[in-house]
Amino acid sequence: MATPSRPTAYHAATPGGGPTQDEPPARAGRGELAVFTWKVLIVAGVAALGIFLWKISGTLLLIFTGVLFAILLQRLTGYVQRGTGLGHGWSLAIVLVVLVLLVGGGVWLMGTSMAAQLGQLQEQVTKAMGMLPDGWRERITEQGKEWPWMNQLSSFASGLVYVVGDAVVVMFAALYLAASPGVYQRGVVLLVPPRGQKRACEVMDVAGDSLWKWLIGQLVAMAAVGTMIAVGLWLLGIPSALALGIVAGLLEFIPLVGPFLAAVPALLIGFAQSPQDALWVAGLYLVIQQVEGNLITPLLQKRVVDLPPVVTIGAIAAGGVLFGIMGMFLATPLAVVVLVLVNLLYIEDKLGQPRHFPSDHS
């Protein structure tokens, strides 16, 4: 009688993902190990990429700032080009000259206003020191002698060098992007698989339009703050109210630091007249900044770009916690970009539902 042959392979997969009929246990184990290894490598790669992006987050924020200014330059250049019929290069040059004149004029007006009041300010400080009791005056004098002025000046100079360097990076990035926007857009699109390149162009166009609307809202807020500051200082009888209003409007583009810098010359001029005027000026700036930060800007962004006010306030708070002042400066436009990506790539493409941001009527 013939002896039945022994099976040489498994005829069915074992429960729980065991070997198949043509796959011995050792080879199946090696296959599972290879899959697990690839998963670990992918997770490690994603983690390494996240750490790398976190390390260069400051540089990425600077580049994003350059993108914002490039959008501003590009849109203004388009208006000049359609109005004058000039080429893109000449229109961009006109826009740059006008912006340089505006910024330079604001800086010159601020410097003139401060220089005109320095003499009066010195007299007021000397007079105030003379009214103090002898013990207080001697203590202030001794503390002034012991104050580490050189260390403070060195720290200030180092910080100023970094600020100037960052400004140069942003300026050149904006100029190159505004001069040849199509080149850089095509470069980004090439990173996307061919089937998604058309959609990538649509997403970039929608994001650019939304950022432009945010910039419009920001410019309107700057004009509103500058007007309120100028009128308020004029009613208080502070000299150079118009110049100080222009300076406040220009510096309003920089959150936190900008309003503080704008208030300094006004406070000095007010103190040069009297301490009471300085207190009134401080109160004026404080009230206007509260109105702008909690009412004007959130409502403008809701109206112009359809950005909910709670999202604006929350984005600014989160940006400050994560990236400091630079994060607060870019929190709102970054929130605009994130909302565009979520609505177009997830809500529309993945869920198949109509997007809610940016709306058609915004």
Side-chain angles (χ1 to χ4, degrees), residues 297-332:
T297 295
L299 292 180
L300 275 175
Q301 298 303 334
K302 169 64 178 175
R303 178 68 177 174
V304 177
V305 78
D306 199 29
L307 188 65
V310 175
V311 174
T312 302
I313 297 173
I316 293 175
V321 172
L322 293 175
F323 305 109
I325 295 177
M326 195 68 177
M328 298 185 69
F329 173 71
L330 298 174
T332 307

PDB file of all heavy atoms in Angstrom, residues 297-332:
ATOM      1  N   THR A 297      -9.602  95.174  13.883  1.00  0.00           N
ATOM      2  CA  THR A 297      -8.950  94.135  13.081  1.00  0.00           C
ATOM      3  C   THR A 297      -9.775  92.857  12.973  1.00  0.00           C
ATOM      4  O   THR A 297      -9.951  92.337  11.860  1.00  0.00           O
ATOM      5  CB  THR A 297      -7.556  93.832  13.650  1.00  0.00           C
ATOM      6  OG1 THR A 297      -6.736  94.998  13.507  1.00  0.00           O
ATOM      7  CG2 THR A 297      -6.906  92.682  12.907  1.00  0.00           C
ATOM      8  N   PRO A 298     -10.315  92.302  14.074  1.00  0.00           N
ATOM      9  CA  PRO A 298     -11.144  91.091  13.913  1.00  0.00           C
ATOM     10  C   PRO A 298     -12.358  91.309  13.018  1.00  0.00           C
ATOM     11  O   PRO A 298     -12.682  90.453  12.189  1.00  0.00           O
ATOM     12  CB  PRO A 298     -11.558  90.751  15.350  1.00  0.00           C
ATOM     13  CG  PRO A 298     -10.492  91.344  16.207  1.00  0.00           C
ATOM     14  CD  PRO A 298     -10.104  92.612  15.511  1.00  0.00           C
ATOM     15  N   LEU A 299     -13.043  92.452  13.156  1.00  0.00           N
ATOM     16  CA  LEU A 299     -14.220  92.700  12.322  1.00  0.00           C
ATOM     17  C   LEU A 299     -13.828  92.923  10.866  1.00  0.00           C
ATOM     18  O   LEU A 299     -14.536  92.493   9.947  1.00  0.00           O
ATOM     19  CB  LEU A 299     -14.998  93.908  12.862  1.00  0.00           C
ATOM     20  CG  LEU A 299     -15.682  93.695  14.227  1.00  0.00           C
ATOM     21  CD1 LEU A 299     -16.417  94.956  14.647  1.00  0.00           C
ATOM     22  CD2 LEU A 299     -16.652  92.517  14.160  1.00  0.00           C
ATOM     23  N   LEU A 300     -12.705  93.596  10.632  1.00  0.00           N
ATOM     24  CA  LEU A 300     -12.246  93.791   9.258  1.00  0.00           C
ATOM     25  C   LEU A 300     -11.891  92.467   8.599  1.00  0.00           C
ATOM     26  O   LEU A 300     -12.255  92.216   7.439  1.00  0.00           O
ATOM     27  CB  LEU A 300     -11.031  94.725   9.242  1.00  0.00           C
ATOM     28  CG  LEU A 300     -11.311  96.224   9.235  1.00  0.00           C
ATOM     29  CD1 LEU A 300     -10.006  97.000   9.334  1.00  0.00           C
ATOM     30  CD2 LEU A 300     -12.060  96.639   7.978  1.00  0.00           C
ATOM     31  N   GLN A 301     -11.187  91.609   9.306  1.00  0.00           N
ATOM     32  CA  GLN A 301     -10.828  90.324   8.729  1.00  0.00           C
ATOM     33  C   GLN A 301     -12.065  89.465   8.486  1.00  0.00           C
ATOM     34  O   GLN A 301     -12.112  88.707   7.506  1.00  0.00           O
ATOM     35  CB  GLN A 301      -9.849  89.578   9.645  1.00  0.00           C
ATOM     36  CG  GLN A 301      -8.535  90.293   9.862  1.00  0.00           C
ATOM     37  CD  GLN A 301      -7.813  90.596   8.559  1.00  0.00           C
ATOM     38  OE1 GLN A 301      -7.990  89.909   7.558  1.00  0.00           O
ATOM     39  NE2 GLN A 301      -7.019  91.646   8.546  1.00  0.00           N
ATOM     40  N   LYS A 302     -13.084  89.582   9.322  1.00  0.00           N
ATOM     41  CA  LYS A 302     -14.333  88.880   9.093  1.00  0.00           C
ATOM     42  C   LYS A 302     -15.017  89.410   7.844  1.00  0.00           C
ATOM     43  O   LYS A 302     -15.574  88.644   7.041  1.00  0.00           O
ATOM     44  CB  LYS A 302     -15.238  89.043  10.323  1.00  0.00           C
ATOM     45  CG  LYS A 302     -16.671  88.577  10.121  1.00  0.00           C
ATOM     46  CD  LYS A 302     -16.741  87.091   9.858  1.00  0.00           C
ATOM     47  CE  LYS A 302     -18.198  86.634   9.701  1.00  0.00           C
ATOM     48  NZ  LYS A 302     -18.298  85.206   9.335  1.00  0.00           N
ATOM     49  N   ARG A 303     -14.967  90.716   7.650  1.00  0.00           N
ATOM     50  CA  ARG A 303     -15.652  91.328   6.512  1.00  0.00           C
ATOM     51  C   ARG A 303     -14.885  91.128   5.212  1.00  0.00           C
ATOM     52  O   ARG A 303     -15.472  90.811   4.171  1.00  0.00           O
ATOM     53  CB  ARG A 303     -15.830  92.826   6.789  1.00  0.00           C
ATOM     54  CG  ARG A 303     -16.485  93.613   5.668  1.00  0.00           C
ATOM     55  CD  ARG A 303     -17.937  93.230   5.500  1.00  0.00           C
ATOM     56  NE  ARG A 303     -18.586  94.024   4.466  1.00  0.00           N
ATOM     57  CZ  ARG A 303     -19.829  93.819   4.029  1.00  0.00           C
ATOM     58  NH1 ARG A 303     -20.545  92.837   4.562  1.00  0.00           N
ATOM     59  NH2 ARG A 303     -20.348  94.578   3.094  1.00  0.00           N
ATOM     60  N   VAL A 304     -13.573  91.304   5.257  1.00  0.00           N
ATOM     61  CA  VAL A 304     -12.775  91.311   4.030  1.00  0.00           C
ATOM     62  C   VAL A 304     -12.444  89.904   3.575  1.00  0.00           C
ATOM     63  O   VAL A 304     -12.616  89.549   2.407  1.00  0.00           O
ATOM     64  CB  VAL A 304     -11.492  92.143   4.237  1.00  0.00           C
ATOM     65  CG1 VAL A 304     -10.620  92.090   2.998  1.00  0.00           C
ATOM     66  CG2 VAL A 304     -11.857  93.595   4.542  1.00  0.00           C
ATOM     67  N   VAL A 305     -11.931  89.082   4.511  1.00  0.00           N
ATOM     68  CA  VAL A 305     -11.472  87.754   4.121  1.00  0.00           C
ATOM     69  C   VAL A 305     -12.328  86.646   4.717  1.00  0.00           C
ATOM     70  O   VAL A 305     -12.039  85.473   4.550  1.00  0.00           O
ATOM     71  CB  VAL A 305      -9.995  87.568   4.523  1.00  0.00           C
ATOM     72  CG1 VAL A 305      -9.860  87.272   6.002  1.00  0.00           C
ATOM     73  CG2 VAL A 305      -9.318  86.490   3.697  1.00  0.00           C
ATOM     74  N   ASP A 306     -13.414  87.006   5.410  1.00  0.00           N
ATOM     75  CA  ASP A 306     -14.330  86.027   5.999  1.00  0.00           C
ATOM     76  C   ASP A 306     -13.636  85.169   7.041  1.00  0.00           C
ATOM     77  O   ASP A 306     -13.924  83.983   7.180  1.00  0.00           O
ATOM     78  CB  ASP A 306     -14.958  85.145   4.915  1.00  0.00           C
ATOM     79  CG  ASP A 306     -16.221  84.444   5.415  1.00  0.00           C
ATOM     80  OD1 ASP A 306     -16.885  85.001   6.295  1.00  0.00           O
ATOM     81  OD2 ASP A 306     -16.524  83.343   4.940  1.00  0.00           O
ATOM     82  N   LEU A 307     -12.700  85.745   7.763  1.00  0.00           N
ATOM     83  CA  LEU A 307     -11.997  85.032   8.821  1.00  0.00           C
ATOM     84  C   LEU A 307     -12.706  85.289  10.148  1.00  0.00           C
ATOM     85  O   LEU A 307     -12.836  86.441  10.564  1.00  0.00           O
ATOM     86  CB  LEU A 307     -10.545  85.506   8.897  1.00  0.00           C
ATOM     87  CG  LEU A 307      -9.613  84.737   9.816  1.00  0.00           C
ATOM     88  CD1 LEU A 307      -9.437  83.304   9.311  1.00  0.00           C
ATOM     89  CD2 LEU A 307      -8.260  85.424   9.915  1.00  0.00           C
ATOM     90  N   PRO A 308     -13.198  84.250  10.819  1.00  0.00           N
ATOM     91  CA  PRO A 308     -13.914  84.461  12.081  1.00  0.00           C
ATOM     92  C   PRO A 308     -13.047  85.190  13.102  1.00  0.00           C
ATOM     93  O   PRO A 308     -11.841  84.887  13.227  1.00  0.00           O
ATOM     94  CB  PRO A 308     -14.246  83.033  12.537  1.00  0.00           C
ATOM     95  CG  PRO A 308     -14.224  82.215  11.291  1.00  0.00           C
ATOM     96  CD  PRO A 308     -13.162  82.841  10.422  1.00  0.00           C
ATOM     97  N   PRO A 309     -13.616  86.145  13.847  1.00  0.00           N
ATOM     98  CA  PRO A 309     -12.807  86.882  14.829  1.00  0.00           C
ATOM     99  C   PRO A 309     -12.148  85.996  15.877  1.00  0.00           C
ATOM    100  O   PRO A 309     -11.036  86.263  16.306  1.00  0.00           O
ATOM    101  CB  PRO A 309     -13.826  87.844  15.467  1.00  0.00           C
ATOM    102  CG  PRO A 309     -14.898  88.001  14.434  1.00  0.00           C
ATOM    103  CD  PRO A 309     -14.985  86.678  13.736  1.00  0.00           C
ATOM    104  N   VAL A 310     -12.840  84.923  16.297  1.00  0.00           N
ATOM    105  CA  VAL A 310     -12.258  84.043  17.302  1.00  0.00           C
ATOM    106  C   VAL A 310     -11.008  83.358  16.754  1.00  0.00           C
ATOM    107  O   VAL A 310     -10.016  83.168  17.472  1.00  0.00           O
ATOM    108  CB  VAL A 310     -13.297  83.001  17.760  1.00  0.00           C
ATOM    109  CG1 VAL A 310     -12.663  81.998  18.715  1.00  0.00           C
ATOM    110  CG2 VAL A 310     -14.467  83.688  18.434  1.00  0.00           C
ATOM    111  N   VAL A 311     -11.039  83.002  15.459  1.00  0.00           N
ATOM    112  CA  VAL A 311      -9.865  82.390  14.835  1.00  0.00           C
ATOM    113  C   VAL A 311      -8.704  83.383  14.815  1.00  0.00           C
ATOM    114  O   VAL A 311      -7.544  83.015  15.061  1.00  0.00           O
ATOM    115  CB  VAL A 311     -10.203  81.905  13.411  1.00  0.00           C
ATOM    116  CG1 VAL A 311      -8.955  81.412  12.695  1.00  0.00           C
ATOM    117  CG2 VAL A 311     -11.245  80.801  13.465  1.00  0.00           C
ATOM    118  N   THR A 312      -9.000  84.643  14.508  1.00  0.00           N
ATOM    119  CA  THR A 312      -7.952  85.671  14.488  1.00  0.00           C
ATOM    120  C   THR A 312      -7.286  85.822  15.848  1.00  0.00           C
ATOM    121  O   THR A 312      -6.061  85.788  15.973  1.00  0.00           O
ATOM    122  CB  THR A 312      -8.534  87.012  14.042  1.00  0.00           C
ATOM    123  OG1 THR A 312      -9.133  86.865  12.745  1.00  0.00           O
ATOM    124  CG2 THR A 312      -7.468  88.079  13.985  1.00  0.00           C
ATOM    125  N   ILE A 313      -8.111  85.974  16.887  1.00  0.00           N
ATOM    126  CA  ILE A 313      -7.570  86.166  18.236  1.00  0.00           C
ATOM    127  C   ILE A 313      -6.824  84.911  18.697  1.00  0.00           C
ATOM    128  O   ILE A 313      -5.727  84.973  19.267  1.00  0.00           O
ATOM    129  CB  ILE A 313      -8.706  86.527  19.207  1.00  0.00           C
ATOM    130  CG1 ILE A 313      -9.341  87.863  18.787  1.00  0.00           C
ATOM    131  CG2 ILE A 313      -8.188  86.617  20.635  1.00  0.00           C
ATOM    132  CD1 ILE A 313     -10.571  88.232  19.584  1.00  0.00           C
ATOM    133  N   GLY A 314      -7.408  83.730  18.455  1.00  0.00           N
ATOM    134  CA  GLY A 314      -6.748  82.488  18.854  1.00  0.00           C
ATOM    135  C   GLY A 314      -5.444  82.251  18.117  1.00  0.00           C
ATOM    136  O   GLY A 314      -4.470  81.768  18.703  1.00  0.00           O
ATOM    137  N   ALA A 315      -5.407  82.597  16.831  1.00  0.00           N
ATOM    138  CA  ALA A 315      -4.184  82.419  16.054  1.00  0.00           C
ATOM    139  C   ALA A 315      -3.072  83.321  16.576  1.00  0.00           C
ATOM    140  O   ALA A 315      -1.908  82.903  16.665  1.00  0.00           O
ATOM    141  CB  ALA A 315      -4.450  82.701  14.583  1.00  0.00           C
ATOM    142  N   ILE A 316      -3.407  84.543  16.913  1.00  0.00           N
ATOM    143  CA  ILE A 316      -2.400  85.468  17.437  1.00  0.00           C
ATOM    144  C   ILE A 316      -1.850  84.961  18.767  1.00  0.00           C
ATOM    145  O   ILE A 316      -0.634  84.989  19.014  1.00  0.00           O
ATOM    146  CB  ILE A 316      -2.995  86.875  17.586  1.00  0.00           C
ATOM    147  CG1 ILE A 316      -3.314  87.455  16.202  1.00  0.00           C
ATOM    148  CG2 ILE A 316      -2.034  87.797  18.334  1.00  0.00           C
ATOM    149  CD1 ILE A 316      -4.012  88.789  16.259  1.00  0.00           C
ATOM    150  N   ALA A 317      -2.734  84.469  19.631  1.00  0.00           N
ATOM    151  CA  ALA A 317      -2.275  83.945  20.921  1.00  0.00           C
ATOM    152  C   ALA A 317      -1.388  82.716  20.736  1.00  0.00           C
ATOM    153  O   ALA A 317      -0.325  82.593  21.357  1.00  0.00           O
ATOM    154  CB  ALA A 317      -3.481  83.604  21.795  1.00  0.00           C
ATOM    155  N   ALA A 318      -1.809  81.790  19.861  1.00  0.00           N
ATOM    156  CA  ALA A 318      -1.009  80.588  19.627  1.00  0.00           C
ATOM    157  C   ALA A 318       0.321  80.915  18.957  1.00  0.00           C
ATOM    158  O   ALA A 318       1.361  80.345  19.303  1.00  0.00           O
ATOM    159  CB  ALA A 318      -1.796  79.601  18.760  1.00  0.00           C
ATOM    160  N   GLY A 319       0.308  81.847  18.009  1.00  0.00           N
ATOM    161  CA  GLY A 319       1.554  82.241  17.358  1.00  0.00           C
ATOM    162  C   GLY A 319       2.544  82.854  18.325  1.00  0.00           C
ATOM    163  O   GLY A 319       3.756  82.618  18.233  1.00  0.00           O
ATOM    164  N   GLY A 320       2.041  83.641  19.274  1.00  0.00           N
ATOM    165  CA  GLY A 320       2.931  84.223  20.271  1.00  0.00           C
ATOM    166  C   GLY A 320       3.550  83.182  21.174  1.00  0.00           C
ATOM    167  O   GLY A 320       4.728  83.267  21.528  1.00  0.00           O
ATOM    168  N   VAL A 321       2.767  82.172  21.558  1.00  0.00           N
ATOM    169  CA  VAL A 321       3.290  81.116  22.431  1.00  0.00           C
ATOM    170  C   VAL A 321       4.336  80.278  21.704  1.00  0.00           C
ATOM    171  O   VAL A 321       5.374  79.912  22.264  1.00  0.00           O
ATOM    172  CB  VAL A 321       2.136  80.230  22.936  1.00  0.00           C
ATOM    173  CG1 VAL A 321       2.676  79.012  23.679  1.00  0.00           C
ATOM    174  CG2 VAL A 321       1.216  81.032  23.846  1.00  0.00           C
ATOM    175  N   LEU A 322       4.096  79.961  20.426  1.00  0.00           N
ATOM    176  CA  LEU A 322       4.988  79.070  19.684  1.00  0.00           C
ATOM    177  C   LEU A 322       6.226  79.773  19.161  1.00  0.00           C
ATOM    178  O   LEU A 322       7.338  79.244  19.251  1.00  0.00           O
ATOM    179  CB  LEU A 322       4.225  78.426  18.523  1.00  0.00           C
ATOM    180  CG  LEU A 322       3.118  77.447  18.904  1.00  0.00           C
ATOM    181  CD1 LEU A 322       2.365  76.983  17.663  1.00  0.00           C
ATOM    182  CD2 LEU A 322       3.679  76.244  19.645  1.00  0.00           C
ATOM    183  N   PHE A 323       6.053  80.964  18.593  1.00  0.00           N
ATOM    184  CA  PHE A 323       7.161  81.603  17.871  1.00  0.00           C
ATOM    185  C   PHE A 323       7.459  83.027  18.338  1.00  0.00           C
ATOM    186  O   PHE A 323       8.217  83.720  17.670  1.00  0.00           O
ATOM    187  CB  PHE A 323       6.851  81.625  16.365  1.00  0.00           C
ATOM    188  CG  PHE A 323       6.553  80.277  15.787  1.00  0.00           C
ATOM    189  CD1 PHE A 323       5.277  79.953  15.393  1.00  0.00           C
ATOM    190  CD2 PHE A 323       7.551  79.324  15.662  1.00  0.00           C
ATOM    191  CE1 PHE A 323       4.983  78.704  14.854  1.00  0.00           C
ATOM    192  CE2 PHE A 323       7.276  78.080  15.129  1.00  0.00           C
ATOM    193  CZ  PHE A 323       5.983  77.766  14.730  1.00  0.00           C
ATOM    194  N   GLY A 324       6.847  83.481  19.416  1.00  0.00           N
ATOM    195  CA  GLY A 324       7.152  84.815  19.926  1.00  0.00           C
ATOM    196  C   GLY A 324       6.519  85.916  19.088  1.00  0.00           C
ATOM    197  O   GLY A 324       5.440  85.750  18.497  1.00  0.00           O
ATOM    198  N   ILE A 325       7.214  87.056  19.032  1.00  0.00           N
ATOM    199  CA  ILE A 325       6.676  88.217  18.335  1.00  0.00           C
ATOM    200  C   ILE A 325       6.486  87.926  16.847  1.00  0.00           C
ATOM    201  O   ILE A 325       5.485  88.326  16.233  1.00  0.00           O
ATOM    202  CB  ILE A 325       7.600  89.429  18.542  1.00  0.00           C
ATOM    203  CG1 ILE A 325       7.607  89.827  20.025  1.00  0.00           C
ATOM    204  CG2 ILE A 325       7.163  90.606  17.681  1.00  0.00           C
ATOM    205  CD1 ILE A 325       8.537  90.968  20.344  1.00  0.00           C
ATOM    206  N   MET A 326       7.455  87.221  16.248  1.00  0.00           N
ATOM    207  CA  MET A 326       7.334  86.884  14.828  1.00  0.00           C
ATOM    208  C   MET A 326       6.107  86.021  14.577  1.00  0.00           C
ATOM    209  O   MET A 326       5.419  86.170  13.563  1.00  0.00           O
ATOM    210  CB  MET A 326       8.597  86.164  14.368  1.00  0.00           C
ATOM    211  CG  MET A 326       8.754  86.082  12.865  1.00  0.00           C
ATOM    212  SD  MET A 326       9.048  87.716  12.162  1.00  0.00           S
ATOM    213  CE  MET A 326       9.281  87.263  10.435  1.00  0.00           C
ATOM    214  N   GLY A 327       5.814  85.112  15.500  1.00  0.00           N
ATOM    215  CA  GLY A 327       4.623  84.291  15.351  1.00  0.00           C
ATOM    216  C   GLY A 327       3.349  85.088  15.456  1.00  0.00           C
ATOM    217  O   GLY A 327       2.373  84.820  14.736  1.00  0.00           O
ATOM    218  N   MET A 328       3.306  86.078  16.318  1.00  0.00           N
ATOM    219  CA  MET A 328       2.131  86.939  16.419  1.00  0.00           C
ATOM    220  C   MET A 328       1.958  87.778  15.155  1.00  0.00           C
ATOM    221  O   MET A 328       0.844  88.024  14.705  1.00  0.00           O
ATOM    222  CB  MET A 328       2.242  87.834  17.646  1.00  0.00           C
ATOM    223  CG  MET A 328       2.302  87.103  18.959  1.00  0.00           C
ATOM    224  SD  MET A 328       2.299  88.194  20.387  1.00  0.00           S
ATOM    225  CE  MET A 328       0.640  88.840  20.325  1.00  0.00           C
ATOM    226  N   PHE A 329       3.077  88.206  14.585  1.00  0.00           N
ATOM    227  CA  PHE A 329       3.043  89.005  13.367  1.00  0.00           C
ATOM    228  C   PHE A 329       2.440  88.219  12.200  1.00  0.00           C
ATOM    229  O   PHE A 329       1.675  88.756  11.393  1.00  0.00           O
ATOM    230  CB  PHE A 329       4.463  89.456  13.023  1.00  0.00           C
ATOM    231  CG  PHE A 329       4.585  90.151  11.696  1.00  0.00           C
ATOM    232  CD1 PHE A 329       4.070  91.421  11.516  1.00  0.00           C
ATOM    233  CD2 PHE A 329       5.205  89.529  10.634  1.00  0.00           C
ATOM    234  CE1 PHE A 329       4.172  92.067  10.298  1.00  0.00           C
ATOM    235  CE2 PHE A 329       5.326  90.155   9.415  1.00  0.00           C
ATOM    236  CZ  PHE A 329       4.803  91.439   9.244  1.00  0.00           C
ATOM    237  N   LEU A 330       2.761  86.927  12.117  1.00  0.00           N
ATOM    238  CA  LEU A 330       2.332  86.105  10.985  1.00  0.00           C
ATOM    239  C   LEU A 330       1.199  85.154  11.326  1.00  0.00           C
ATOM    240  O   LEU A 330       0.821  84.323  10.485  1.00  0.00           O
ATOM    241  CB  LEU A 330       3.519  85.292  10.457  1.00  0.00           C
ATOM    242  CG  LEU A 330       4.698  86.108   9.928  1.00  0.00           C
ATOM    243  CD1 LEU A 330       5.858  85.188   9.584  1.00  0.00           C
ATOM    244  CD2 LEU A 330       4.284  86.907   8.706  1.00  0.00           C
ATOM    245  N   ALA A 331       0.650  85.241  12.533  1.00  0.00           N
ATOM    246  CA  ALA A 331      -0.366  84.271  12.953  1.00  0.00           C
ATOM    247  C   ALA A 331      -1.606  84.333  12.075  1.00  0.00           C
ATOM    248  O   ALA A 331      -2.108  83.298  11.609  1.00  0.00           O
ATOM    249  CB  ALA A 331      -0.736  84.524  14.419  1.00  0.00           C
ATOM    250  N   THR A 332      -2.116  85.521  11.816  1.00  0.00           N
ATOM    251  CA  THR A 332      -3.346  85.639  11.039  1.00  0.00           C
ATOM    252  C   THR A 332      -3.170  85.195   9.590  1.00  0.00           C
ATOM    253  O   THR A 332      -3.988  84.408   9.094  1.00  0.00           O
ATOM    254  CB  THR A 332      -3.876  87.080  11.104  1.00  0.00           C
ATOM    255  OG1 THR A 332      -4.004  87.488  12.476  1.00  0.00           O
ATOM    256  CG2 THR A 332      -5.236  87.180  10.437  1.00  0.00           C
TER     257      THR A 332
END
